[in-house]
Amino acid sequence: MTIAEAAAFFRDGDRFCIVTHRSPDGDTTGCASALCRGLRALGKIAAVLENPQTTPRYAPWLEGLTVPREGAGDTVVTVDVAAETLLPENAEHLTVALAIDHHGSNTGFAQQTLLDPGKAACGEIVFALLQELGAPLDPVSAGALYVAVSTDTGCFQYSNTTANTLRVAAALRDAGVAAAAINRALFGVKSLRRLRLEARLTESTVFWAGGRVAVCVLPLSWREELALTEDDLDALASFPRAIEGVEAGVLLKEKPDGVVKLSLRTGPSINASAVCAHLGGGGHPAAAGASFKAVLGEALELVRAAFAGEGVEV
Amino acid sequence: MTIAEAAAFFRDGDRFCIVTHRSPDGDTTGCASALCRGLRALGKIAAVLENPQTTPRYAPWLEGLTVPREGAGDTVVTVDVAAETLLPENAEHLTVALAIDHHGSNTGFAQQTLLDPGKAACGEIVFALLQELGAPLDPVSAGALYVAVSTDTGCFQYSNTTANTLRVAAALRDAGVAAAAINRALFGVKSLRRLRLEARLTESTVFWAGGRVAVCVLPLSWREELALTEDDLDALASFPRAIEGVEAGVLLKEKPDGVVKLSLRTGPSINASAVCAHLGGGGHPAAAGASFKAVLGEALELVRAAFAGEGVEV
């Protein structure tokens, strides 16, 4: 489906129910917010289906827009959802009329799909769609789309960022986004707890293979000692790989009940998914994981063996 | 001076010597690189004056462009230099024909000044100038300007970023910048030395005014103890301000000969430039600095008094 065809779909229809994905992030939430507000501004009836997993970080963008399942409109539209299995529990068995998405892996689960895998964020597609529809872009809608494009690109830092991403962000700033406050809240700030955790990880990082592999270990006891929240552990798996010269970053988190969770981030020379497969896990070539029963000392040796199994002597 | 007038200045002249500032950063170096390359492409004789403080991080952008003092051309142009005192040692007593700058605090030290304090980076001004001159934008020049605008905005994250910054970045990406590699090198990776420094700063940060002000101190001795390079200190000034709840982040670096360098980063509630003016410094409302003679203990009290002078009781 093209942007023009999708615009016709929205012009011809009414009573839209917009659905976000499980573990909703900035992209799916921002898209839902902006699309819903844009459709309402055009005189359509529209709402966003409540997502029980929406966190306080992104919930404000959906204020006044959400409805429970029984209040949802007839025409279901998903944003940033790649597969039916990623629909939240309360959206299972809904017939999806249109999926707006940027994942190349989209399964085609919807009746129609507006898909552009060349876009870093689904927000770029929703922006183009709202422009095509002639929907007014107020500062709140622009802010929601700014959250969408900035979170999916690590504030325009990740390799998926394109010139289009930056142009959309510029247009959103022209529309009055309070970008400085959003950037600071989402990207610019760390809690002192998190900084203390990073300090401990720095002091205790172990290097294998002459520095090619960095191993960080997070014992269960640190959570209490440093009063860590779940937010403090956000994206911690990328910490060891971000050390200069490191091609494979290993994070071992001790969990309750004798379980260790391995997170592995790698550059192009090492297949993270293959290494994790030796420990019953999997994932992508550059980002994979596994969970297994072990004490931390054993876990280190198991990870060492998994690397060796892929020809990386550590 | 307007962009058009500056373009006429370059069209009418020849034999340009471009000068960067002391402790050269990505903005001054990227501007010098792109301006020099652009002028050469237009058939002018141009070179960048060697800056003995250029670090390995930014030096590659000046490859093939630099000359020693005796080889410098007649028409001296500075980029991103706010005051005569910020000229490198080998540029002292040079007559500066044109200063291209974005610092509101520019002292007007040059014969003519192309100044736009509304720009986040001097690179945005040089970009507009090169467009006005019709200079071709090859991938290397675009990369140099990308380094300029991205480093001065923390990869488009800081509050100085505008829609124009993002549009310039988009145009630079269109010109073929290898942005993903630049972003990883400049923003995505930290040396172990830098991480150890951050760990020490975390453990030693002092908080004033109930956590509104965070103060980090870098004693001279740490440089040797941690084997720090100048690149390891890059953008360190933003570290204290990035702690949750902090409105003003103070970094005090002990320098040789009893000099202390203050770097201040603030939110909208505190004018960094005004605080630093109490200590003979200046800069932007959200980012400013000063250098003065003091031992570290005295320096802390001087900074405390400077805050008080602006009505911030610490």
Side-chain angles (χ1 to χ4, degrees):
Chain A
M1 204 183 218
T2 65
I3 291 279
E5 287 164 352
F9 168 93
F10 283 106
R11 270 193 216 101
D12 295 345
D14 202 358
R15 296 179 55 80
F16 296 101
C17 173
I18 303 162
V19 177
T20 53
H21 63 64
R22 263 171 211 256
S23 303
D25 59 9
D27 196 17
T28 194
T29 308
C31 284
S33 171
L35 181 58
C36 183
R37 294 173 60 87
L39 291 171
R40 285 186 182 182
L42 293 168
K44 303 289 184 181
I45 294 170
V48 179
L49 184 69
E50 280 177 0
N51 186 328
Q53 294 182 315
T54 301
T55 63
R57 168 170 273 210
Y58 299 119
W61 296 102
L62 297 177
E63 216 172 270
L65 304 180
T66 54
V67 287
R69 166 94 187 234
E70 52 272 22
D74 302 328
T75 308
V76 175
V77 177
T78 63
V79 281
D80 197 41
V81 179
E84 204 155 12
T85 52
L86 298 172
L87 291 171
E89 276 181 28
N90 57 340
E92 283 170 3
H93 312 303
L94 280 179
T95 301
V96 178
L98 173 65
I100 304 175
D101 192 22
H102 71 126
H103 293 94
S105 60
N106 187 290
T107 61
F109 65 93
Q111 290 174 333
Q112 297 187 84
T113 307
L114 172 60
L115 180 70
D116 185 351
K119 295 293 188 285
C122 191
E124 293 179 59
I125 304 170
V126 170
F127 173 80
L129 176 63
L130 291 174
Q131 295 286 102
E132 178 78 20
L133 280 166
L137 197 64
D138 64 273
V140 177
S141 298
L145 286 178
Y146 184 84
V147 168
V149 298
S150 64
T151 52
D152 255 29
T153 59
C155 206
F156 315 110
Q157 191 179 315
Y158 300 160
S159 58
N160 59 354
T161 309
T162 67
N164 187 69
T165 318
L166 293 163
R167 281 206 184 86
V168 168
L172 297 172
R173 297 203 55 139
D174 283 337
V177 172
I182 294 174
N183 286 351
R184 180 160 166 83
L186 295 181
F187 311 106
V189 165
K190 287 180 183 176
S191 68
L192 194 58
R193 298 178 304 275
R194 168 66 176 242
L195 286 168
R196 285 180 174 144
L197 170 60
E198 292 190 3
R200 282 199 182 189
L201 291 175
T202 296
E203 302 304 350
S204 61
T205 302
V206 173
F207 293 93
W208 291 343
R212 280 181 70 201
V213 180
V215 184
C216 289
V217 175
L218 176 58
L220 203 52
S221 60
W222 288 13
R223 296 184 188 231
E224 201 173 318
E225 288 167 32
L226 297 170
L228 300 173
T229 68
E230 274 309 306
D231 269 348
D232 292 329
L233 303 179
D234 191 47
L236 194 67
S238 62
F239 181 83
R241 160 82 174 127
I243 303 172
E244 197 174 47
V246 169
E247 289 168 47
V250 174
L251 176 67
L252 288 169
K253 283 195 283 192
E254 190 181 17
K255 297 276 197 179
D257 304 319
V259 172
V260 171
K261 187 173 185 312
L262 159 69
S263 297
L264 179 59
R265 300 288 180 270
T266 58
S269 65
I270 297 172
N271 186 328
S273 185
V275 173
C276 289
H278 288 275
L279 295 160
H284 305 282
S291 285
F292 49 90
K293 289 235 171 191
V295 298
L296 284 173
E298 291 170 343
L300 279 168
E301 291 316 305
L302 290 170
V303 171
R304 197 189 281 274
F307 272 102
E310 288 305 304
V312 184
E313 288 307 329
V314 293
Chain B
M1 206 184 217
T2 65
I3 291 279
E5 287 163 352
F9 168 93
F10 284 105
R11 270 193 217 102
D12 295 345
D14 202 358
R15 295 180 53 81
F16 296 100
C17 173
I18 303 163
V19 177
T20 53
H21 63 65
R22 263 170 211 257
S23 303
D25 58 8
D27 196 17
T28 195
T29 308
C31 284
S33 171
L35 181 58
C36 184
R37 294 173 59 87
L39 291 171
R40 287 185 180 181
L42 293 168
K44 303 288 184 182
I45 293 170
V48 178
L49 183 68
E50 280 177 0
N51 186 326
Q53 294 181 316
T54 301
T55 64
R57 169 168 288 200
Y58 300 120
W61 296 102
L62 297 178
E63 216 171 88
L65 305 179
T66 55
V67 286
R69 167 93 186 234
E70 51 273 21
D74 301 328
T75 308
V76 175
V77 177
T78 63
V79 282
D80 197 40
V81 178
E84 204 155 13
T85 52
L86 298 172
L87 291 172
E89 277 179 29
N90 57 338
E92 282 170 5
H93 311 302
L94 279 180
T95 300
V96 179
L98 173 64
I100 305 176
D101 191 22
H102 71 124
H103 293 94
S105 60
N106 187 290
T107 60
F109 65 94
Q111 290 175 332
Q112 297 187 83
T113 307
L114 171 61
L115 180 71
D116 185 351
K119 295 292 187 284
C122 191
E124 294 178 58
I125 304 170
V126 170
F127 173 80
L129 175 64
L130 291 174
Q131 295 286 104
E132 178 77 19
L133 281 166
L137 198 64
D138 63 274
V140 177
S141 298
L145 286 177
Y146 183 84
V147 168
V149 298
S150 65
T151 52
D152 253 30
T153 59
C155 206
F156 317 109
Q157 190 179 313
Y158 300 161
S159 60
N160 58 354
T161 310
T162 67
N164 188 69
T165 318
L166 294 163
R167 279 204 186 86
V168 168
L172 296 171
R173 296 203 55 139
D174 282 337
V177 173
I182 293 174
N183 286 350
R184 177 160 169 85
L186 294 181
F187 310 107
V189 165
K190 289 178 181 174
S191 68
L192 191 59
R193 299 178 304 274
R194 168 65 174 244
L195 286 168
R196 284 180 174 144
L197 170 61
E198 292 191 2
R200 280 199 184 189
L201 291 174
T202 296
E203 302 305 348
S204 62
T205 303
V206 172
F207 293 94
W208 291 343
R212 279 181 71 201
V213 180
V215 185
C216 289
V217 175
L218 176 58
L220 203 52
S221 60
W222 288 14
R223 296 184 189 230
E224 201 172 318
E225 288 168 31
L226 297 170
L228 299 173
T229 68
E230 275 307 308
D231 281 338
D232 292 330
L233 304 179
D234 194 48
L236 193 68
S238 61
F239 181 82
R241 161 82 173 127
I243 303 172
E244 199 173 48
V246 170
E247 289 169 47
V250 174
L251 177 67
L252 288 170
K253 283 195 282 191
E254 190 181 16
K255 297 274 197 180
D257 304 318
V259 172
V260 171
K261 186 172 186 311
L262 160 69
S263 298
L264 179 59
R265 300 291 180 268
T266 58
S269 65
I270 298 172
N271 186 328
S273 186
V275 172
C276 289
H278 288 274
L279 295 161
H284 307 282
S291 285
F292 48 91
K293 288 233 172 194
V295 296
L296 282 173
E298 291 169 345
L300 279 168
E301 290 316 305
L302 290 170
V303 171
R304 198 189 280 276
F307 272 103
E310 288 304 306
V312 184
E313 290 306 330
V314 293

